[in-house]
Amino acid sequence: MTDSTTAASPTLVVVGGVAGGASAVTRARRMNEHATIIMFEKDEHVSFANCGLPYHVGGEIAERESLFVARPALFADRFNIDVRTRHEVVDIDRSRREVTVLNHTTGEHFRQAYDKLILAPGAAPIVPPLAGISASNVFSVRNVTDTDRINAFMTRAQPGRAVVVGAGYIGLEMMEQLHSRGVAVTLVELQPQVLPLMDPELAHMLEEEIAAHDIDLRLGDGISALVSAEGLATGVVLGSGETIDTDMVILGIGVRPSVQLAEQAGLSLGDSGGIHVNAHGQTDDPDIYAVGDACEYTFGPTGKQMRVALAGPANRAGRLAGEHAVTGSSAPVPRAWGTAIVRVFGLAAGMVGLTMSMARRSGLDARCCVVRANHHVGYYPGAQPVTLKLVYEAGTGRILGAQAVGREGIDKRIDVIATAMHFGATVHDLTALDLAYAPSFGAAKDPVHMAGFVAANDLAGTAVIMPIDSDLDGYQVLDVRSRDEVSGSALYGAPHAINIPLHELRERIAELDSAQPTVVSCASGARSYVATRILMQRGFNTVYNLSGGTLLRAHAISSISAGYSGPRPAPAPIPAPPVTGRRGD
């Protein structure tokens, strides 16, 4: 029986390939065998693994051919799709439903009619307008041609030094891969931390890993000029005035959505600068869709429209827009949650949703907790610590985001929380998850469970969290670590802390003033939780558990003295128990 929606034979034109465009045309064909489908790609390659480009430079992906997901011949033979590379759509005539196309090989312009049009132009690397920026040894990393240029230069010139500008995902990956090829790397980042999207205390863990690999890390300093000679960049001038000698420069500053074609056609842009679309990827013109890095998505934690320049959302949106364009119906494009992960030498850093910094900027009444637990049980060999930060809404317990750093198991924890967020979970739901457990894989109480327990306790008033970077002046501070631990690493910003090891607390509790607001700390937050419960049941009315403990506070406040002047968020009042009565462990 033939599906009635396939009886029509529309002409679908798709502008751009890679993730969004390639997903759109293949889904369109699977849903409508009778449509005429044409894809124009201005570059040489239509479908490649752009996320794998840095790893080809470093040699982890040895074969260049492995980068190609699909070539034009596969689109033609398997899907009956007309793919034309080196063809750039330069104009859209909405009234006539035609596009003007430039054939870069012949220089010819021609017109192509469409019934439906999908824009998937992607985003272009940000290249600052500096003198010398066009030198032949200054590179961006956007496509296979870029990696070909980088590899050819490195083979020819054998560079010993490189400056990587930008410490986002691409910058960190290129830093790692150049280092693996024996290049001395200087990493320059305008913001005061690497991976600026992440909260600073977790980013600092990455910075320590970077320093341990002898990378020259320059934070809080941008580039102001390039020094060049004979067509080559020989130095990078920082905003601070220092010049760093180099043999090559990699730009990883970020990307800018390619929206010029949409703007020329009179299509609306959203507040974040991407093409505005509805739930099915349609622009102001219902016959024109937009997917990928050039458009906006509904961001799950806030419900607002914003750009999310990641491959996952682009693939999913492209698939659904392709279906809708040739059948007139499809599921709506799902919300994007910003789930991402990056490897930095031996560490992995993953995140989903909002960081605490982003939640505050969004005006949400957010709280957070940090747990540090092994990725599998400690008695099984090879256990590695996972540092997991959970952000949640104060009133409802709705999960707003998570970040994790560690050497093993980071993707698993972030994926579990991302899945929970997709279904609108609260921190209480995390405590109830039935996760796989065997000694070599995890623990009966997984780090995800532990984060849920701590957050639920915080909301219930069972053990209220004090933010890790808080000013501890004016609080009675109790450090329940052992004497050896305290002598080896004092609690930053709390010279007045009273050290009573946890196993001695009940017999020495009279040394504390129950009338004073008290902050309890240990190495990670686990023993301090137990101590918090003891104090709260022994007449101490205002008690806080220092989230993440001494270990994370060292990352949160990387430079501290008696005159501490860092961030000083006020502790939140102890909340009332939730209406549901559900409590943490």
Side-chain angles (χ1 to χ4, degrees):
M1 180 175 178
T2 302
D3 188 335
S4 61
T5 60
T6 65
S9 54
T11 295
L12 171 64
V13 171
V14 177
V15 180
V18 195
S23 295
V25 294
T26 51
R27 178 64 172 178
R29 173 57 72 220
R30 290 192 297 269
M31 299 305 293
N32 191 332
E33 180 63 21
H34 307 285
T36 298
I37 304 175
I38 306 169
M39 180 161 59
F40 295 116
E41 169 56 55
K42 68 177 182 179
D43 293 329
E44 181 181 356
H45 307 292
V46 68
S47 182
F48 59 90
N50 49 1
C51 296
L53 297 177
Y55 301 101
H56 179 52
V57 172
E60 286 192 58
I61 299 176
E63 298 298 326
R64 178 178 181 272
E65 189 65 24
S66 300
L67 296 172
F68 297 106
V69 178
R71 292 188 178 276
L74 184 143
F75 285 100
D77 296 342
R78 182 176 298 178
F79 296 104
N80 188 26
I81 294 170
D82 181 2
V83 173
R84 307 184 201 181
T85 59
R86 305 271 304 152
H87 281 66
E88 181 178 3
V89 174
V90 295
D91 184 64
I92 302 171
D93 187 334
R94 291 169 54 188
S95 63
R96 301 179 63 177
R97 290 203 290 188
E98 289 182 342
V99 295
T100 301
V101 185
L102 168 61
N103 182 333
H104 283 287
T105 302
T106 66
E108 171 197 10
H109 284 82
F110 63 91
R111 288 181 172 273
Q112 171 63 54
Y114 68 84
D115 294 304
K116 302 291 181 180
L117 176 66
I118 298 179
L119 303 179
I126 295 173
V127 179
L130 302 175
I133 203 72
S134 60
S136 62
N137 61 339
V138 177
F139 306 97
S140 296
V141 187
R142 177 181 176 271
N143 53 33
V144 177
T145 300
D146 291 335
T147 61
D148 289 344
R149 291 179 58 232
I150 293 171
N151 284 331
F153 173 80
M154 295 187 72
T155 299
R156 180 178 71 253
Q158 296 293 305
R161 303 162 299 181
V163 173
V164 177
V165 184
Y169 297 117
I170 291 293
L172 291 174
E173 290 167 350
M174 286 302 300
M175 168 206 70
E176 181 194 63
Q177 294 303 306
L178 291 173
H179 177 271
S180 73
R181 291 187 62 168
V183 179
V185 180
T186 298
L187 179 62
V188 178
E189 171 55 54
L190 181 61
Q191 300 301 318
Q193 66 176 69
V194 302
L195 208 59
L197 290 176
M198 183 166 271
D199 281 332
E201 66 269 26
L202 278 79
H204 189 256
M205 300 172 71
L206 302 179
E207 293 162 13
E208 289 191 338
E209 182 77 1
I210 290 168
H213 286 80
D214 298 321
I215 301 297
D216 182 11
L217 182 58
R218 307 298 183 93
L219 299 175
D221 209 350
I223 62 170
S224 60
L226 293 178
V227 179
S228 58
E230 300 180 356
L232 293 174
T234 59
V236 174
V237 182
L238 302 182
S240 60
E242 181 182 1
T243 298
I244 300 174
D245 295 334
T246 190
D247 301 316
M248 64 184 299
V249 178
I250 302 290
L251 299 177
I253 300 172
V255 296
R256 182 177 290 113
S258 299
V259 297
Q260 300 90 336
L261 191 62
E263 283 189 294
Q264 292 168 6
L267 302 175
S268 297
L269 304 184
D271 292 338
S272 67
I275 304 169
H276 178 72
V277 295
N278 67 13
H280 294 290
Q282 292 167 297
T283 66
D284 302 328
D285 186 329
D287 292 327
I288 302 179
Y289 299 72
V291 299
D293 294 354
C295 77
E296 294 184 334
Y297 298 99
T298 300
F299 187 50
T302 64
K304 296 180 179 179
Q305 300 295 303
M306 63 179 287
R307 290 188 299 112
V308 182
L310 295 169
N315 273 283
R316 290 187 289 274
R319 179 178 182 271
L320 293 169
E323 178 178 349
H324 196 275
V326 298
T327 69
S329 65
S330 73
V333 174
R335 291 187 172 198
W337 299 91
T339 312
I341 192 166
V342 64
R343 188 187 71 193
V344 180
F345 298 112
L347 286 179
M351 62 188 302
V352 59
L354 295 173
T355 64
M356 193 62 185
S357 304
M358 294 167 64
R360 287 169 176 163
R361 290 196 300 271
S362 299
L364 292 171
D365 185 10
R367 295 185 63 78
C368 65
C369 67
V370 181
V371 298
R372 187 175 172 90
N374 288 330
H375 87 289
H376 63 52
V377 290
Y379 64 79
Y380 187 87
Q384 295 291 337
V386 171
T387 301
L388 175 60
K389 183 172 185 177
L390 187 67
V391 182
Y392 45 94
E393 196 167 43
T396 65
R398 179 173 66 99
I399 304 167
L400 299 175
Q403 302 156 75
V405 175
R407 300 189 183 278
E408 297 287 346
I410 299 304
D411 54 344
K412 171 181 175 178
R413 276 76 198 187
I414 291 298
D415 283 347
V416 166
I417 295 175
T419 303
M421 291 175 68
H422 177 81
F423 292 104
T426 69
V427 297
H428 305 285
D429 295 314
L430 294 187
T431 70
L433 292 177
D434 190 7
L435 302 178
Y437 162 58
S440 58
F441 292 98
K445 290 183 179 179
D446 190 85
V448 171
H449 292 131
M450 299 304 295
F453 294 151
V454 174
N457 283 333
D458 178 45
L459 295 178
T462 305
V464 177
I465 294 298
M466 171 74 78
I468 192 62
D469 54 0
S470 296
D471 177 14
L472 300 182
D473 290 346
Y475 291 91
Q476 177 174 247
V477 179
L478 171 63
D479 190 334
V480 296
R481 293 177 296 159
S482 70
R483 294 175 182 83
D484 288 344
E485 287 178 282
V486 172
S487 64
S489 176
L491 177 62
Y492 283 145
H496 59 297
I498 302 167
N499 176 219
I500 302 178
L502 177 59
H503 66 277
E504 300 177 10
L505 180 57
R506 289 182 178 87
E507 65 186 48
R508 295 178 56 187
I509 200 167
E511 298 176 26
L512 301 172
D513 183 353
S514 63
Q516 289 194 45
T518 302
V519 177
V520 189
S521 176
C522 67
S524 66
R527 283 172 289 175
S528 57
Y529 163 54
V530 176
T532 296
R533 295 301 302 146
I534 292 173
L535 296 182
M536 291 181 69
Q537 296 176 79
R538 297 282 185 115
F540 288 71
N541 294 321
T542 306
V543 185
Y544 299 98
N545 186 9
L546 187 64
S547 178
T550 305
L551 291 173
L552 198 67
R553 188 168 171 86
H555 292 290
I557 308 169
S558 57
S559 177
I560 195 165
S561 65
Y564 170 51
S565 60
R568 300 175 181 268
I574 296 177
V579 175
T580 62
R582 290 182 295 181
R583 304 177 73 87
D585 182 18

